[in-house]
Amino acid sequence: MRLLGLLLLAAAASSFEVGKEYVYRYKGTMQVFSPEQRDQSAGMAFRSKVIVQPKADHTHFKIADFESDTFNSDDINIERHEFNYASNEHLVGALEHPFAGKFDEGKIEEIEIGKSEPLWVKNLKKGILSLFQVDLVKGRHEHHDDKEYHVKEDSLHGACDTLYIVHKEEQNHIALSKVKNLEKCDNARVAVFGRMKGERCDMCEDHEAHPQYATTDVYYELEGTAQQYVIHHASEESSHLFKPHGNAKKIIIIINRTLDLDEQHDAAFHTPLPEDAVKEHSLQQEFAQSDHLKDLEELKHPNPIYTAYGIHSNKEKFVEVLKQLAQLEFTDDDIGDIEHKPSGASLFLALVQAFSSFSYEDINDVYQHHVLAAPADIKASIGHIFLDLLSATGMNPHILFGLNLIKNEEVSKSDADNFYSKIQLNLKEVSSPMVHAISDSCKSEAVKKHHEVWSTCKLAASAVAGGKGCRHAPNDQEDDHGTCSPDNVSHFFNYSVTPSDTHEDRDYEITVYLRAAGNLATRKAIHYLERFICPKGHAKEHHRMSALWALKQAST
């Protein structure tokens, strides 16, 4: 009897009946579009089952029969469109491993997910757990009949301000909505992928790149009471507006998810958790980062944002579009129908997107078999497009491959100079190995024999090292850390040089190093410039002016 009492108590706390199995139909869509072009959108749709098995002290969940489809088209009606759902071998496996949540009066207290599971799988499972979180007790512990009340609720975005609205609560039926204000979340995690350089605008909130608005609205239909219920239906819409380039470009992301109870019966099988399941106490999502990179070989792998989310390359499709762009021509006959012709810009953007998930090996395979071996009539065009794609994509293996092409003298002097000039603009993630790769390429004979290319290379290395990955020393006694650490900087710059040490150096070399010091903007770099600016250093007048200009750059 005592055991039975404990089981009944646990069932009441978890809202579901221990020993039963609840099977839900779970589906959703993600749609991305620009307000200026609402008719054109891209995204994905998915559907699956979610099996729920309440246990004595927690609840097991399992995703089954996961299928998905993607879209990129005009005038698509998400609600009525018939998607071609299909199972994907890359989207199963860890996704179907059971996971668990421990609830206390409807609120998540603890979760368990396999430690070795991909990051995107963990985040997706946390998203499912968040749908099963309904706070009808703790949120109104002082006034049990409140129809509207605010709580702080754990979610993928952190503990967020959440408004509960109870529409109906009678005759064993509850209908309610909860609205999360994602702009009011404690310790919200934001991942910035890519690099932007420019002056900070202190009074320009409308130009900031973080979401301009972000809300999540979930509607529930429950059977039972506030203390003990079963979720029969949940539908969520989440909206995000991004302005990554100020008012010049707006991007809206809308995510819809629905959960419907399909059947409930006695549990037919056990859903054991993975052996490496670890406990966490937050639903907050995680993001992939590259701050663990240690050597050049690691730069050959796709950036973590692609490996962590299971995104794979499609070389055949990439090569098909690459050839299409290389052969693209417009004649006078095309003018009347120009709006219906594929544009070079759209094809190039599609190639950048497809190229981003390639590894160094994938890139080399395309280069050997489709760039070097391209037909004579499009070989030059494909070569230039390929090099532009390497720099525009800006991922680790792409930049490394471009650097190796330059060192092996497989590109022209002007193409090499152009590639270096774009690195600091397009490099998506900065790391010490990347600083080493760029600076070491400056020492190659292929680069040193062209002073314009050497100059651009040095400036690229200093701009990357002195960028957002640099953690400046607070005083002269401590060292800088991150990408501008003394070890990294020593690969391309010598802080100890004085004007008297440069008498035999070429004029352009002195100027380049002064500009590089401005890019670094470390305390040691400022002292370096100071020696050239101070009259006691006896630097040439134009070098003093260059040092002053570099000092101004360092202060911005």
Side-chain angles (χ1 to χ4, degrees), residues 73 95 135 159 169 196 199 209 217 220 277 284 313 350 416 435 496 534 550:
S73 60
L95 187 63
D135 183 3
E169 190 173 8
M196 294 187 70
E199 296 183 7
D217 187 343
Y220 289 95
Q284 196 166 34
S313 61
V435 174
S496 64
C534 181

Side-chain angles (χ1 to χ4, degrees), residues 141-332:
H141 63 280
E142 294 183 356
H143 304 283
H144 303 302
D145 297 326
D146 280 354
K147 299 303 181 185
E148 291 190 16
Y149 53 97
H150 286 265
V151 299
K152 276 287 186 180
E153 186 166 286
D154 191 20
S155 70
L156 288 171
H157 305 275
C160 301
D161 180 72
T162 305
L163 169 64
Y164 273 79
I165 304 172
V166 180
H167 307 294
K168 181 181 179 181
E169 190 173 8
E170 58 186 27
Q171 298 177 346
N172 217 37
H173 177 74
I174 303 174
L176 71 133
S177 298
K178 66 177 182 181
V179 182
K180 289 186 185 297
N181 185 343
L182 302 184
E183 296 182 52
K184 294 184 178 180
C185 298
D186 296 339
N187 303 315
R189 290 177 182 169
V190 177
V192 178
F193 189 69
R195 305 177 69 243
M196 294 187 70
K197 191 167 180 66
E199 296 183 7
R200 180 178 177 82
C201 184
D202 294 324
M203 302 295 291
C204 308
E205 290 187 5
D206 60 323
H207 290 286
E208 294 182 10
H210 62 71
Q212 295 299 298
Y213 71 73
T215 60
T216 296
D217 187 343
V218 190
Y219 173 75
Y220 289 95
E221 291 184 3
L222 316 178
E223 180 185 346
T225 65
Q227 292 74 27
Q228 186 174 358
Y229 57 82
V230 172
I231 298 173
H232 275 247
H233 170 80
S235 56
E236 176 192 74
E237 179 172 300
S238 180
S239 301
H240 304 261
L241 170 65
F242 288 90
K243 299 202 300 187
H245 305 293
N247 288 319
K249 185 69 174 178
K250 299 178 183 178
I251 299 172
I252 293 178
I253 302 174
I254 296 178
I255 300 173
N256 286 287
R257 298 189 294 161
T258 61
L259 192 71
D260 288 289
L261 182 61
D262 203 26
E263 55 182 289
Q264 59 185 84
H265 46 69
D266 291 337
F269 59 90
H270 181 50
T271 53
L273 297 179
E275 292 183 359
D276 66 343
V278 293
K279 295 180 179 180
E280 298 181 42
H281 297 277
S282 173
L283 292 173
Q284 196 166 34
Q285 63 188 326
E286 301 174 54
F287 297 104
Q289 297 179 337
S290 292
D291 53 7
H292 63 283
L293 299 183
K294 302 298 181 184
D295 56 59
L296 292 178
E297 282 300 310
E298 292 180 290
L299 295 177
K300 293 184 177 182
H301 303 301
N303 286 57
I305 194 170
Y306 292 98
T307 55
Y309 292 101
I311 300 173
H312 299 269
S313 61
N314 186 335
K315 285 186 283 188
E316 292 75 16
K317 182 64 176 178
F318 174 82
V319 170
E320 178 186 332
V321 180
L322 177 63
K323 291 179 179 178
Q324 184 181 357
L325 180 57
Q327 295 169 337
L328 185 65
E329 289 185 6
F330 291 101
T331 66
D332 292 342

Side-chain angles (χ1 to χ4, degrees), residues 14 38 74 112 128 190 214 225 261-262 293 308 316 318 400 402 416 445 447 455 467 522 545:
S14 63
R38 296 188 70 95
D74 297 332
E112 289 186 74
I128 290 175
V190 177
T225 65
L261 182 61
D262 203 26
L293 299 183
E316 292 75 16
F318 174 82
L400 186 62
E445 290 302 320
V447 172
S455 300
T522 60
M545 294 300 103

Side-chain angles (χ1 to χ4, degrees), residues 41-165:
S41 64
M44 69 165 293
F46 68 87
R47 67 182 181 186
S48 71
K49 292 180 181 178
V50 174
I51 300 169
V52 181
Q53 289 187 352
K55 306 295 181 180
D57 59 350
H58 57 288
T59 302
H60 283 198
F61 295 80
K62 178 178 171 60
I63 301 170
D65 303 333
F66 188 90
E67 297 178 322
S68 63
D69 187 23
T70 59
F71 61 89
N72 187 345
S73 60
D74 297 332
D75 300 317
I76 185 171
N77 187 319
I78 294 293
E79 295 180 358
R80 298 180 180 179
H81 184 74
E82 293 186 8
F83 293 102
N84 296 315
Y85 292 105
S87 179
N88 187 322
E89 61 178 338
H90 300 303
L91 298 180
V92 294
L95 187 63
E96 296 186 348
H97 293 168
F99 54 106
K102 184 177 181 180
F103 296 83
D104 180 19
E105 295 182 324
K107 298 198 72 171
I108 285 283
E109 276 198 335
E110 185 178 87
I111 65 175
E112 289 186 74
I113 300 177
K115 183 179 181 180
S116 60
E117 294 181 12
L119 201 58
W120 71 271
V121 171
K122 293 179 181 179
N123 289 340
L124 191 148
K125 290 179 177 179
K126 288 179 179 180
I128 290 175
L129 289 171
S130 71
L131 269 184
F132 281 87
Q133 183 171 226
V134 181
D135 183 3
L136 285 169
V137 178
K138 290 189 174 184
R140 50 180 184 173
H141 63 280
E142 294 183 356
H143 304 283
H144 303 302
D145 297 326
D146 280 354
K147 299 303 181 185
E148 291 190 16
Y149 53 97
H150 286 265
V151 299
K152 276 287 186 180
E153 186 166 286
D154 191 20
S155 70
L156 288 171
H157 305 275
C160 301
D161 180 72
T162 305
L163 169 64
Y164 273 79
I165 304 172

